[in-house]
Amino acid sequence: MYPLLRKLLFRLDAEFSHHLVFSLLRALYRLPGGSRLLRRRVPALPLTVMGIAFPNPVGLAAGLDKNADLAPILADFGFGFLELGTVTPRPQPGNPKPRLFRLPPQRAVINRMGFNSAGVALFLNNLYQWERTLPVGINIGKNKDTPLERAVDDYLAALRAVYPHADYVTVNISSPNTPGLREMQSQEHLDELLRALKADQSALAGIHGRYVPIAVKIAPDLDDSQIAAIAELVLKHGVDAVIATNTTIARPGLEQEPLARQAGGLSGHPLKPLSTAVIRKLYTHLQGKIPIIGVGGIETADDAWDKLAAGADLVQIYTVFIYEGPGIVKRILRGLADKVAASGCATLVDAVAKARGGG
């Protein structure tokens, strides 16, 4: 059914299609029995990462549900967790339209959304209305008009607001679509940011009586020395996870594609080798001391397995969801379950350890 729907949707503007599809899904969800119709039964591949119990390792990457108004629907598609956002402290419209472009021959997407956000207050109001059924990460960012020297204030404000409602919080310092944001990945800025976040995390844990892990999301466009410096800092400050990676400003293999000239971050198939390489390098430095969440170009169970074998503990998808629809989650999980069975191991964690040469 989805391939037919996709043909129709791909004739429309990409951002308009996104809103249309989820408006239709919301309408279906409200009908008697609508939730059961959408729900997918998926293989159970339980694991614990960051102290959180996940039903399976395949999550939704941030960006698809920026305002937490689709979570009940997305939860029924079989994901092991959802990452919602990016949400900013104050509402902002994001960049001018058009700002989302499909590249079907390359199974890719370019976006320059620019943290379009309803703001943290409305985001949380939407989240309150959902009876949670799986772990939720909340991805936070700074407002565009907040100068870099005040960026830490925005991240702290967002962290304090979302902390009681998140299973983990992701600090997005790697979107290419907010001017100057990626400078937060530099050693000086990142050291300051992580020190402030970890101090607040400790205080918030005492106030709320629960420890909420913090993950940092990094870019694929980092050289080896930058990756090493980030690894050193996350170890130094005891960051709970690293998400690798965000979209890329590079255009690998797209030199002849006219749409590739559009500004923004590239996701999908061409990002796959870049993100996997970053995961592998990160793992070399971290050696399992800090979990890695792998994202970028995952289209199949083999792709997800490659990320896990390279050092990821969990994986996330986004662009393939646009090209393949909700059924892709079940297909990836079935493939991963088959790999666990073929390994002769009892669990996914054991099978991955064996693939890395540890068993």
Side-chain angles (χ1 to χ4, degrees):
M1 179 179 175
Y2 186 78
L4 177 61
L5 180 61
R6 181 180 60 204
K7 287 182 180 178
L8 299 174
L9 292 172
F10 276 30
R11 294 180 180 179
L12 305 173
D13 171 77
E15 191 170 351
F16 176 80
S17 293
H18 173 91
H19 294 301
L20 175 62
V21 166
F22 282 103
S23 293
L24 294 172
L25 285 172
R26 282 192 205 96
L28 178 60
Y29 195 81
R30 293 189 187 105
L31 294 175
S35 176
R36 287 195 303 273
L37 187 64
L38 293 172
R39 193 170 299 135
R40 300 292 194 278
R41 292 182 179 274
V42 299
L45 293 170
L47 70 169
T48 299
V49 179
M50 298 182 287
I52 303 166
F54 294 89
N56 69 65
V58 179
L60 177 73
L64 191 73
D65 187 3
K66 291 179 178 291
N67 297 314
D69 55 3
L70 307 171
I73 300 169
L74 294 165
D76 277 336
F77 293 153
F79 288 106
F81 61 106
L82 304 178
E83 188 166 311
L84 309 177
T86 298
V87 61
T88 54
R90 292 172 284 108
Q92 62 180 27
N95 291 324
K97 299 178 183 180
R99 54 193 180 180
L100 185 64
F101 309 91
R102 308 184 199 94
L103 292 77
Q106 293 81 21
R107 295 178 64 81
V109 166
I110 292 173
N111 92 81
R112 53 170 179 265
M113 304 298 287
F115 287 174
N116 53 308
S117 173
V120 73
L122 183 55
F123 177 99
L124 292 175
N125 186 61
N126 290 336
L127 194 59
Y128 293 149
Q129 299 175 43
W130 175 41
E131 188 175 341
R132 191 171 307 177
T133 56
L134 75 173
V136 168
I138 299 179
N139 185 301
I140 59 174
K142 82 172 190 72
N143 281 103
K144 183 178 181 179
D145 61 0
T146 300
L148 196 62
E149 58 270 20
R150 297 286 302 278
V152 172
D153 295 339
D154 269 16
Y155 284 106
L156 292 177
L159 175 65
R160 291 163 188 166
V162 306
Y163 187 96
H165 315 286
D167 290 292
Y168 71 90
V169 177
T170 296
V171 180
N172 190 344
I173 54 173
S174 52
S175 169
N177 302 315
T178 295
L181 185 71
R182 287 191 167 187
E183 291 182 40
M184 296 297 295
Q185 296 175 114
S186 71
Q187 194 159 0
E188 179 185 354
H189 286 299
L190 186 57
D191 193 31
E192 178 192 4
L193 176 63
L194 295 182
R195 184 180 294 107
L197 287 168
K198 291 298 290 186
D200 249 39
Q201 180 191 39
S202 180
L204 290 164
I207 292 168
H208 297 286
R210 59 189 288 260
Y211 181 88
V212 176
I214 292 177
V216 174
K217 189 167 186 176
I218 65 172
D221 309 307
L222 299 166
D223 62 31
D224 291 357
S225 64
Q226 290 172 311
I227 293 170
I230 288 172
E232 181 181 345
L233 286 172
V234 298
L235 285 166
K236 171 185 172 182
H237 291 287
V239 173
D240 300 286
V242 180
I243 300 183
T245 64
N246 214 315
T247 57
T248 178
I249 57 173
R251 297 293 185 263
L254 301 180
E255 291 78 12
Q256 306 306 316
E257 172 57 56
L259 270 181
R261 302 188 190 106
Q262 292 287 346
L266 175 74
S267 62
H269 181 81
L271 177 57
K272 187 186 312 181
L274 292 176
S275 63
T276 304
V278 173
I279 291 166
R280 188 172 291 110
K281 291 170 185 175
L282 257 184
Y283 185 77
T284 300
H285 294 288
L286 301 178
Q287 289 296 308
K289 295 174 185 174
I290 294 176
I292 298 169
I293 301 175
V295 55
I298 294 173
E299 300 175 284
T300 65
D302 286 341
D303 297 334
W305 186 258
D306 287 345
K307 294 276 197 284
L308 294 168
D313 298 272
L314 300 166
V315 295
Q316 295 176 327
I317 62 172
Y318 179 170
T319 302
V320 71
F321 192 77
I322 295 170
Y323 282 96
E324 296 295 329
I328 188 60
V329 183
K330 185 174 185 177
R331 292 199 292 276
I332 291 174
L333 287 169
R334 275 182 171 172
L336 289 177
D338 289 344
K339 288 183 181 295
V340 173
S343 74
C345 296
T347 68
L348 176 69
V349 172
D350 290 341
V352 170
K354 185 176 181 180
R356 292 178 189 166

